[in-house]
Amino acid sequence: MTFSRDEKRLNHTQNPYFDFEYNKDFGILPIPKRLRYYPERHFHFGLSLNISFGFASTFVVANLYYCQPLLIQFSRSFNVSYNEVSRIPTLLQAGYAGGILFISPLGDLVRRRQLVLLLVLLSATLTIGLAVTSSLATFEALSFLVGAVTVTPQILIPLAADLAPPDRRATAMSVVLSGLLFGVLLARVISGIVAEFVTWRVVYYLAIGVQYLVLLGLYLVLPDYPSKNQHLTYWKILWSMAKFSITEPLLIQACLINLASSACFSNFWVTLTFLLGGPPYNYSTLVIGLFGIVGIFGVAMGPLVGRAIDHLVPWYASLLSITCLIIFQSIQVGAGGINISAVIISTLGLDVFRQMLQVSLTTAVFAICASARSRLNALLILSLFIGQVMGTSVGTEVFVKYGWRAGAALSLGWYGFQLIILMSRGPHCERFTWLGWEGGAEARKSVVDRRKNENKRQKQDVEPGVPVKEKISLNQTASEASNTSNGPDSIGQRTR
């Protein structure tokens, strides 16, 4: 497909998404022709591209977790105390939180292909510094920066939602999320095994090579997609996030549930180490570490979970998830410290349905405004971070003071809180309805979509006596009004 320069300029004038400069990355590297954006052509978001997104997420997010099994070697290598090297994981997580808040919202403002390539390039290059430095202060500073640019998965998830067909949206996001969770598990295993036989620096050399391979792979498969919200600035993007956080009932509901769910998840995995290491189990560190392999089952179930969510109204997927989480947590409360089979069953169930809950909440929130998905995702992930801190600190305190059953019961109480928050706002409430139940109780997504399309057509119909030209004009006006009410400038408006 070729255009003359005049045709390109004309198309760019008529459609701001068409830019005749979009044939190069950063104005230097040519974009492969099959990946260039044209308004009249839609990208095919197939399984191979979806898996590529998940693969990239795996080896980018691993940056945050390589260090955890290496802290003792860091202490010896830098000749400092354990207390000093314990700051490294905190700095990585702090940088990641800052990146989510200030970098990932750029996905709603700039071309995401270039943003993703730049972030992976920066994370791989900064990792070189981690591998070669002999200064703890430099290592800590670079750790913070690496954490900040390791937000690629949080840009790929909204991009997958934009590229995937509506009936496969949850599945697409589940694959990327599964890749992210697999990276969390894989990083700890790889770094622990490699560092057992060679120096910890080899772990980071391996990370450098893998990230540059990811960079090359993304360059060859990541489609170019036009920037959204070209009328906004970076500061307006941040301000709109603040507005979202206080004016969108569905977002606030999802964040509260996500916060409590993340607290339960963190509480379970942190206190599980104490439970298995003490009586009656008294397992070794190696055996306790093998329980992380059980988490791979939950990761593997991700695409199937997403497929189930695609057929349900997200609210009902969340209800099913919370109900099952309560059941499996009850098993842990009743027998977690008595029989190891109860712990294994609880681990399997909590992993699968925690992932299902997160995908269903994300799917629901992304429907609020298609042009603001990166910002909405950033707010959801921030709530997840707050929940992790709460679950780790409060859960550990309760476990140490009152024992394993009290710690497990704490999570059961948090699951009850999630159920109350979910039930306070029904599955079909209007966008700005804060509490209550309206719109029926249909759970099948296909039926709800069909009803919405029928209602939309009925609203656009006019009386038979109206002239055709006027009918067309009315339909265009209704369409424009709909687009305006769903756009980023409608934040905080009360439309019925």
Side-chain angles (χ1 to χ4, degrees), residues 366-378:
F366 278 6
I368 292 174
C369 183
S371 61
R373 284 175 176 155
S374 291
R375 286 167 283 172
L376 294 169
N377 185 66

Side-chain angles (χ1 to χ4, degrees), residues 45-189:
F45 189 76
L47 181 61
S48 59
L49 182 58
N50 203 170
I51 292 175
S52 298
F53 278 30
F55 180 85
S57 297
T58 296
F59 290 101
V60 171
V61 81
N63 288 331
L64 301 174
Y65 302 98
Y66 286 128
C67 69
Q68 293 184 359
L70 307 176
L71 295 179
I72 294 176
Q73 289 200 23
F74 288 159
S75 174
R76 295 170 181 168
S77 179
F78 294 118
N79 195 26
V80 295
S81 66
Y82 290 170
N83 185 53
E84 289 180 88
V85 296
S86 67
R87 294 194 299 260
I88 294 172
T90 303
L91 287 168
L92 278 163
Q93 294 295 332
Y96 189 56
I100 289 172
L101 184 60
F102 296 109
I103 295 178
S104 66
L106 287 171
D108 286 338
L109 191 63
V110 302
R111 289 163 57 198
R112 282 170 284 185
R113 173 182 165 89
Q114 288 192 328
L115 178 60
V116 168
L117 293 178
L118 178 61
L119 288 174
V120 177
L121 175 64
L122 287 174
S123 65
T125 305
L126 288 170
T127 306
I128 296 175
L130 294 177
V132 301
T133 185
S134 57
S135 167
L136 177 62
T138 303
F139 192 95
E140 289 176 337
L142 289 173
S143 294
F144 180 84
L145 294 176
V146 167
V149 296
T150 305
V151 294
T152 298
Q154 306 309 331
I155 296 169
L156 291 177
I157 290 175
L159 180 57
D162 285 346
L163 293 175
D167 61 341
R168 286 192 61 249
R169 187 164 291 151
T171 304
M173 291 190 296
S174 292
V175 171
V176 183
L177 181 61
S178 294
L180 186 153
L181 296 176
F182 186 64
V184 175
L185 298 173
L186 188 65
R188 293 167 176 159
V189 174

Side-chain angles (χ1 to χ4, degrees), residues 267-268 271-276 278-281 329-339 342-343 346 395-412:
N267 179 31
F268 175 80
T271 59
L272 182 64
T273 301
F274 303 142
L275 174 64
L276 297 179
Y281 303 118
Q329 187 63 38
S330 298
I331 295 173
Q332 178 72 357
V333 172
I338 300 173
N339 193 298
V343 179
S346 299
T396 302
E397 186 75 14
V398 171
F399 183 95
V400 171
K401 285 187 176 182
Y402 304 104
W404 65 268
R405 181 165 276 131
L410 173 65
S411 290
L412 192 61

Side-chain angles (χ1 to χ4, degrees), residues 166-245:
D167 61 341
R168 286 192 61 249
R169 187 164 291 151
T171 304
M173 291 190 296
S174 292
V175 171
V176 183
L177 181 61
S178 294
L180 186 153
L181 296 176
F182 186 64
V184 175
L185 298 173
L186 188 65
R188 293 167 176 159
V189 174
I190 289 177
S191 62
I193 293 175
V194 173
E196 182 71 20
F197 301 101
V198 292
T199 175
W200 62 266
R201 297 184 188 275
V202 175
V203 175
Y204 287 98
Y205 290 137
L206 179 63
I208 294 166
V210 170
Q211 287 181 87
Y212 278 121
L213 284 176
V214 168
L215 179 63
L216 176 62
L218 289 174
Y219 173 79
L220 295 175
V221 303
L222 188 62
D224 195 21
Y225 204 70
S227 57
K228 300 187 289 185
N229 307 302
Q230 296 182 5
H231 60 291
L232 295 179
T233 64
Y234 177 69
W235 299 112
K236 288 182 178 179
I237 286 285
L238 295 181
W239 176 243
S240 69
M241 288 176 62
K243 287 185 177 180
F244 269 128
S245 65

